[in-house]
Amino acid sequence: MNEWSSPAAALAGATAAKTLRSEGFAGPVTLLTSEERIPYLRPPLSKEFLLGKDDEDSVPVVPAGWYEENDVELLLGNPASGIDAGSRTVTLKDGRSLDYAKLLIATGAQPRQIPLPGTDLEGVMTFRTFGDSLRLQSLLRDGGRRVVMVGSGWIGMELAAAARTYGNDVVLLGLEEIPLSAAIGPELGNYFRALHEQNGVSFRLPASAAGIEGKDGRATAVRTDTGEVLPADIVIIAVGVVPDTSLAETAGLTLDNGVLVDSALRTSAPDILAAGDVANALHPFTGEHHRSEHWANALNGGKVAAKTMLDQNAALDVVPYFYTDQFTLSMEYSGFPSLATGVEPVIRGSLDDGSFIAFWMRDGRKEQGEVVAGMNVNMRRVQKPIKALISGRVQVNIAHLTSPDVPLEDLLPGD
């Protein structure tokens, strides 16, 4: 059995390979990557590693020696260029062909490109890979640079925080009137905005970049759609990602906002699976397909894909999770954004104190109901009960949910 993966940083693929071995599979396992670097974790790239708090050894999924020790063939910088599902073969970049018994597509996503004049100027970049993080760190770490961030989502906000922490001037553009409001609503979006403004980040919202101006091949300014010209030494475009389905297309797989898969991560072709950012998976909790771009999805998806390959009963049924660190703020979020969209959260604790939990209820702010998402800010060891409330579809009284005097564990049903 060959397991195959070709993302920019193959968390799903590497996790699948590790799971195959831990589950006792002794046959051949092949892992392909598009980069000349062993598979690594992506979250530190915009957080700890970018800020110099973690070193290079902290980001690999498994140590470099693990692959040889576990007889996993790792082909760096040699991704697949095509799949023939009929003959069960994969064509590699170097022209070789590999047979497979089971195949995992974990090609991830690519930064969304916007048709903007001046994106080819020096000093303009997107952000996705380890190399991007190294490059940005070298540009930011001495401080004193003028940074324009195009994009007010999670990555844009994290990069803005890192740039300010290094002592650079930062202006952030976004299409929303309030940053992050599409993800967590206006009240909490304003909370994050205030945090950034207190730390010196300037916002232009809503506004978009109309063009990047330059001199002698280098970026010098960003011109907005309102006509404002913002001086810039560094321009970072972080306007989301798109699933990399180009390889899946060669296999004729069913696509819909990524590669469409069932809860066991099986695609429309026999013995081909998909996991990570590229997979639009059926979730048993909602009965709907969800495509998640967060690392926990890739991690859990790699495990499920491996078990499905081994004909075990497996499903990607965990509650989605991600986290962010910005300045002194540490946040964790578990839940289903599609069920929380447009719902006003209820708060346990105080936004003014900077330590709280926000909950989103299935039916809004009613006296009693089910929690579908929870976000804790500067609070530790609360994710386990939050996930249990969501996955257990527990009916909770909103007065108890919002009261710091009632332990979250007490809201869970007894054994």
Side-chain angles (χ1 to χ4, degrees):
M1 178 190 301
N2 282 335
E3 183 276 326
W4 171 81
S5 168
S6 178
L11 174 56
T15 302
K18 183 179 178 181
T19 304
L20 287 171
R21 290 300 186 232
S22 67
E23 291 292 316
F25 178 70
V29 176
T30 303
L31 182 66
L32 312 180
T33 74
S34 58
E35 290 188 80
E36 297 283 355
R37 177 174 293 277
I38 64 172
Y40 54 83
L41 302 169
R42 205 180 296 279
L45 301 184
S46 58
K47 304 178 184 70
E48 301 93 338
F49 181 78
L50 179 60
L51 287 168
K53 298 178 180 179
D54 286 350
D55 60 22
E56 197 167 329
D57 293 335
S58 67
V59 297
V61 179
V62 294
W66 181 90
Y67 298 96
E68 184 176 357
E69 292 167 3
N70 289 274
D71 194 25
V72 172
E73 185 178 16
L74 181 61
L75 302 181
L76 299 177
N78 194 15
S81 59
I83 299 170
D84 188 324
S87 64
R88 296 174 183 263
T89 58
V90 176
T91 303
L92 307 188
K93 178 183 177 182
D94 65 7
R96 285 186 290 163
S97 181
L98 296 178
D99 297 329
Y100 68 85
K102 303 286 185 180
L103 179 68
L104 173 63
I105 295 177
T107 45
Q110 297 296 326
R112 187 183 302 278
Q113 303 295 326
I114 53 178
L116 197 63
T119 54
D120 58 340
L121 292 167
E122 188 175 348
V124 182
M125 63 180 294
T126 56
F127 189 91
R128 183 69 178 170
T129 68
F130 183 87
D132 293 335
S133 186
L134 275 180
R135 177 189 174 196
L136 186 57
Q137 185 187 73
S138 69
L139 293 172
L140 296 177
R141 62 188 172 200
D142 292 334
R145 311 297 294 276
R146 300 168 300 178
V147 179
V148 173
M149 173 69 58
V150 182
S152 58
W154 292 113
I155 293 297
M157 296 288 276
E158 288 179 355
L159 298 182
R164 276 300 298 151
T165 300
Y166 275 121
N168 299 280
D169 295 328
V170 180
V171 179
L172 189 148
L173 307 179
L175 296 178
E176 299 175 288
E177 292 187 4
I178 301 171
L180 303 174
S181 59
I184 56 176
E187 180 182 17
L188 295 170
N190 273 325
Y191 179 86
F192 276 85
R193 175 173 181 161
L195 170 72
H196 277 250
E197 289 179 331
Q198 290 163 11
N199 284 275
V201 175
S202 297
F203 288 85
R204 301 293 190 275
L205 301 173
S208 62
I212 303 172
E213 300 177 358
K215 183 179 180 181
D216 299 328
R218 291 192 59 85
T220 59
V222 173
R223 179 169 35 83
T224 75
D225 59 350
T226 64
E228 185 177 8
V229 177
L230 302 170
D233 305 303
I234 303 167
V235 181
I236 308 169
I237 300 174
V239 291
V241 297
V242 292
D244 188 351
T245 59
S246 56
L247 186 61
E249 292 172 13
T250 70
L253 303 182
T254 300
L255 306 179
D256 182 6
N257 184 30
V259 180
L260 205 64
V261 295
D262 64 13
S263 61
L265 304 186
R266 293 178 291 246
T267 71
S268 57
D271 298 317
I272 299 180
L273 298 89
D277 294 5
V278 77
N280 189 6
L282 179 66
H283 201 289
F285 184 91
T286 65
E288 299 174 347
H289 283 82
H290 298 266
R291 190 178 67 81
S292 173
E293 297 166 359
H294 298 296
W295 70 274
N297 174 63
L299 179 72
N300 292 313
K303 295 176 183 178
V304 170
K307 292 178 180 181
T308 300
M309 287 177 168
L310 298 174
D311 296 322
Q312 299 178 13
N313 289 325
L316 188 59
D317 56 3
V318 297
V319 177
Y321 167 89
F322 72 95
Y323 75 99
T324 187
D325 294 321
Q326 300 174 33
F327 299 112
T328 58
L329 179 147
S330 178
M331 182 276 273
E332 297 175 286
Y333 180 108
S334 288
F336 299 89
S338 63
L339 300 181
T341 300
V343 177
E344 184 180 354
V346 296
I347 306 298
R348 167 183 284 234
S350 170
L351 271 64
D352 292 336
D353 293 341
S355 180
F356 61 89
I357 306 175
F359 293 99
W360 287 263
M361 314 296 289
R362 182 181 293 273
D363 298 317
R365 299 171 61 98
K366 293 188 176 180
E367 182 177 340
Q368 186 157 315
E370 294 179 13
V371 176
V372 294
M375 181 183 91
N376 53 290
V377 171
N378 293 336
M379 297 184 70
R380 297 182 180 276
R381 294 183 292 276
V382 295
Q383 273 294 304
K384 185 176 180 179
I386 289 174
K387 290 180 179 179
L389 286 171
I390 297 169
S391 61
R393 301 178 185 269
V394 179
Q395 289 285 323
V396 293
N397 184 290
I398 195 170
H400 295 160
L401 188 66
T402 57
S403 173
D405 296 328
V406 180
L408 291 178
E409 290 80 1
D410 289 359
L411 302 178
L412 298 170
D415 295 333

